[in-house]
Amino acid sequence: MRVLGIESSCDETGIAVYDGDFGLRAHCIYSQANMHSEYGGVVPELASRDHVRKILPLIQQTLCEANIDKKSLDGVAFTAGPGLVGALMVGASVARSFAWGLGIPALGVNHLEGHLLAPMLEKESPDFPFLCLLVSGGHTQIVLVKEIGRYSLLGESIDDAVGEAFDKTAQLLGLGYPGGPALAHIAERGDPERYRFPRPMLNREGFDFSFSGLKTSVITAYKKLPDEQVEQEKSHIARGFEEAVVETLVTKTQRALEIAQVNRLVVAGGVAANNRLRAAMIRMADESGVKVFFPRLEFCSDNGAMIALAGCLRLTAGQSENLEIRASARWPLMSLQPPA
Amino acid sequence: MALLVDGVLYERYQETPREHSKIILPMIDELLKEAGVNRQQLDGVAFGRGPGSFVGLRIGAGVAQGIAFALDLPVAPVSTLAAIAQRCYRETGAEQVLAAIDARMQEVYWGMYCLNRDKIMTLQHEEMVCAPEKVMTPKTDDWVGAGSGWSTYAETLEQQVSDRLRKNNGFLLPTAYDIAIIGQALFDQNLEVPAEQAVPVYLRDKVAEKPKRTLHTH
């Protein structure tokens, strides 16, 4: 089965063609980040306006790069939530109508399911069951994945998502928006010992996270600095922040692996692109006899490939939907079912 | 939803706030079935490109894009203000129409339309979004007002247009029939666009404020 995937849940338009037999055929991503950076955050109305301009040219480009005629598609998958509902509705409208025009099925895919299945786009792909640490701008969750659609939530952030903490800290340090990657970049030059920020909830049982206290500690440290030291201390603060986040994520994930008794780990979502997190997870996995899987860097952030893949798996299993064009801002992973 | 087959109209209409998205494709299916037309026989797609509710416009544009691209069809983007003017002509014979849609935020979307030789309402000057007391008014007599703006801001608009106004026709929604009629005219004049250019015209383009630059000297 050959499926076109459409992702439009936030500020990236992602399109891909995934083939059940031959894997990923082509994918394109258009990021609106530059447009939103002037506003210091994603402006939902502007995001929707951009999706409706970019989505079809991007579909055409993807089909062209895959050298595939649209008439040879067998299905269309689109992100139906969670995300910005206006942006989602653009993808849903185009996807459903395009599929209707071709006389093929369309399926709304859960964005988070897309993320946690993303490592399956790689040659070396995890078998079920596996544990997934999902870390992005909107989510921080530890999920036990028994099979597609059978998920148990072991823990999640009780306040800010980890990607959000990265972006907010970066904004504080004057690194613009979205500043997560820029923060990681200046942290490279930072001294890991200079600032020791709290490891939130590390000494508590369970697998929940909290990052808003860490953010407050960073703000406090930053505000204490005399003006002339700000520039040189920035990288140390960034590094201290990153160390705290990484240690927290690694330690909780390690505990969850022990409790769940699985030896496969997936780290997915935008923050999974962070080098220091990847390195620390690999170290921990080696020590614990666990095999760790990451999506390639470009499939950590939002993309159409993961949506095409998830849609392909579900459509192949026979899942179908009616012609209603629908999307929802909220759609918890735990409410999903295996394909009927 | 309307389907024009060689001048014969098939129409479905349902006023469904926030429900367009659920019924739009099933309605198209039913309509085609009723007309005995299959989708491969369609020659073009006309859609209401705005102005109007942003979310609604994007659903319409998205559906037009999807269908047109799948079936290799040209698209006719039709102004919703023109559609109101066309309906007003069709139902009352008015040949000069001031179309106004309530744009919320104390503003209206506004356009002045006159009937052309082909019996199609045609825009004079340009469409705009502004306060009802600032609309561009006609320099000739005998105009009819139509659209939701004419019920929300009846008094202000009547005052603005004053004795140039023959009648306030009040609340009148654009229909797919009129969009199809104008769309047909656009196709006849080769004014169609490819699927990827089937995008909304919002008129209201300032939708977010850029934050004032704060210097991060801390």
Side-chain angles (χ1 to χ4, degrees):
Chain A
M1 180 172 253
R2 194 181 267 178
V3 176
L4 180 81
I6 300 177
E7 152 66 28
S8 68
S9 66
C10 190
D11 61 345
E12 256 119 20
T13 318
I15 308 289
V17 177
Y18 183 84
D19 188 310
D21 295 324
F22 301 102
L24 187 66
R25 296 292 304 269
H27 78 99
C28 294
I29 298 175
Y30 174 79
S31 172
Q32 310 173 350
N34 283 341
M35 174 178 79
H36 296 294
S37 69
E38 293 183 49
Y39 296 89
V42 175
V43 182
E45 175 60 23
L46 293 180
S48 302
R49 288 186 176 201
D50 214 38
H51 284 302
V52 82
R53 281 191 298 263
K54 297 288 169 28
I55 205 159
L56 208 51
L58 221 53
I59 293 174
Q60 290 163 338
Q61 186 187 337
T62 309
L63 290 172
C64 180
E65 282 178 20
N67 197 16
I68 279 174
D69 188 276
K70 62 194 169 216
K71 293 194 177 69
S72 75
L73 292 170
D74 301 303
V76 179
F78 61 95
T79 307
L84 302 171
V85 74
L88 291 166
M89 282 304 284
V90 173
S93 301
V94 174
R96 271 252 192 272
S97 312
F98 179 53
W100 176 86
L102 292 173
I104 59 178
L107 193 72
V109 166
N110 182 292
H111 180 80
L112 303 173
E113 179 169 81
H115 272 303
L116 63 85
L117 298 178
M120 293 184 158
L121 290 161
E122 308 305 330
K123 276 206 186 77
E124 214 182 345
S125 142
D127 294 324
F128 297 116
F130 58 79
L131 191 79
C132 178
L133 173 69
L134 184 60
V135 274
S136 70
H139 295 85
T140 308
Q141 297 186 333
I142 296 181
V143 181
L144 178 62
V145 179
K146 288 162 221 156
E147 60 174 311
I148 181 163
R150 285 186 66 213
Y151 309 121
S152 309
L153 183 66
L154 302 187
E156 64 184 330
S157 176
I158 58 169
D159 42 53
D160 291 357
V162 62
E164 196 182 350
F166 262 96
D167 286 339
K168 284 181 179 170
T169 306
Q171 215 153 16
L172 170 78
L173 299 179
L175 300 172
Y177 180 91
L183 183 138
H185 183 72
I186 67 161
E188 293 292 318
R189 305 191 302 270
D191 176 352
E193 311 289 335
R194 181 90 140 237
Y195 291 89
R196 186 168 169 89
F197 294 117
R199 273 58 174 158
M201 302 184 73
L202 213 50
N203 48 13
R204 279 204 222 159
E205 281 190 32
F207 310 107
D208 284 343
F209 302 97
S210 161
F211 292 104
S212 80
L214 170 60
K215 189 183 61 194
T216 310
S217 311
V218 173
I219 293 174
T220 310
Y222 184 70
K223 289 205 168 140
K224 266 194 226 153
L225 293 173
D227 277 354
E228 64 278 10
Q229 284 179 26
V230 168
E231 265 325 297
Q232 61 174 61
E233 292 298 308
K234 259 187 196 175
S235 62
H236 305 312
I237 290 181
R239 182 62 185 270
F241 166 82
E242 199 180 39
E243 291 287 325
V245 168
V246 168
E247 189 185 325
T248 307
L249 292 174
V250 169
T251 310
K252 292 247 170 183
T253 304
Q254 187 169 22
R255 284 186 206 159
L257 283 165
E258 284 162 16
I259 298 289
Q261 297 204 314
V262 290
N263 57 6
R264 282 177 294 269
L265 170 66
V266 162
V267 184
V271 182
N274 180 282
N275 280 329
R276 214 166 287 283
L277 179 65
R278 281 170 105 101
M281 283 291 179
I282 290 169
R283 256 196 323 275
M284 177 273 282
D286 279 350
E287 287 163 13
S288 324
V290 167
K291 183 141 183 55
V292 61
F293 300 84
F294 302 95
R296 75 187 81 163
L297 290 179
E298 58 191 331
F299 295 156
C300 286
S301 44
D302 295 347
N303 65 85
M306 66 187 195
I307 302 304
L309 166 81
C312 183
L313 294 175
R314 285 182 172 275
L315 285 166
T316 304
Q319 191 169 337
S320 66
E321 285 177 346
N322 63 21
L323 286 173
E324 269 184 26
I325 296 169
R326 59 161 193 94
S328 36
R330 290 172 185 279
W331 185 10
L333 197 52
M334 296 314 131
S335 68
L336 296 186
Q337 301 285 327
Chain B
M1 194 72 55
L3 178 66
L4 270 183
V5 185
D6 301 328
V8 180
L9 170 79
Y10 298 84
E11 196 180 19
R12 279 268 191 295
Y13 183 79
Q14 221 170 317
E15 212 175 301
T16 52
R18 281 183 280 276
E19 297 281 302
H20 306 298
S21 55
K22 289 194 177 155
I23 57 166
I24 193 163
L25 287 173
M27 263 169 102
I28 294 176
D29 250 354
E30 275 177 41
L31 204 54
L32 289 175
K33 210 171 284 169
E34 184 190 319
V37 169
N38 68 43
R39 58 192 138 204
Q40 285 81 11
Q41 291 172 294
L42 293 171
D43 298 313
V45 178
F47 80 106
R49 53 84 162 147
S53 132
F54 300 162
V55 175
L57 294 183
R58 279 189 292 267
I59 293 169
V63 169
Q65 286 184 11
I67 293 176
F69 179 50
L71 297 167
D72 294 311
L73 298 175
V75 177
V78 175
S79 159
T80 44
L81 288 166
I84 288 170
Q86 192 72 34
R87 178 175 178 187
C88 188
Y89 162 68
R90 185 165 55 83
E91 293 183 352
T92 73
E95 297 189 5
Q96 298 193 105
V97 174
L98 300 165
I101 297 172
D102 182 355
R104 311 273 172 92
M105 303 166 79
Q106 277 74 56
E107 289 187 317
V108 290
Y109 300 119
W110 179 259
M112 312 200 288
Y113 292 84
C114 291
L115 196 68
N116 73 9
R117 274 183 302 181
D118 302 322
K119 307 289 179 203
I120 298 297
M121 290 304 246
T122 312
L123 180 67
Q124 317 294 306
H125 305 284
E126 54 189 23
E127 296 178 342
M128 58 179 77
V129 56
C130 62
E133 51 276 0
K134 288 187 180 155
V135 294
M136 182 187 275
T137 51
K139 304 224 169 0
T140 54
D141 289 333
D142 206 26
W143 291 78
V144 172
S148 58
W150 282 96
S151 59
T152 312
Y153 301 105
E155 208 177 320
T156 316
L157 289 177
E158 281 166 18
Q159 233 163 47
Q160 283 303 304
V161 187
S162 124
D163 53 359
R164 305 275 194 216
L165 187 71
R166 173 155 61 87
K167 190 174 177 237
N168 176 354
N169 237 330
F171 199 90
L172 199 65
L173 287 170
T175 71
Y177 182 19
D178 299 293
I179 286 171
I181 290 173
I182 299 172
Q184 178 76 63
L186 291 173
F187 288 128
D188 292 344
Q189 297 167 68
N190 298 318
L191 293 174
E192 70 263 24
V193 299
E196 67 272 17
Q197 285 172 35
V199 293
V201 172
Y202 305 97
L203 292 188
R204 179 175 284 148
D205 287 320
K206 197 163 185 273
V207 290
E209 295 279 348
K210 287 180 193 179
K212 294 201 178 79
R213 286 265 162 234
T214 45
L215 287 175
H216 279 276
T217 50
H218 104 295

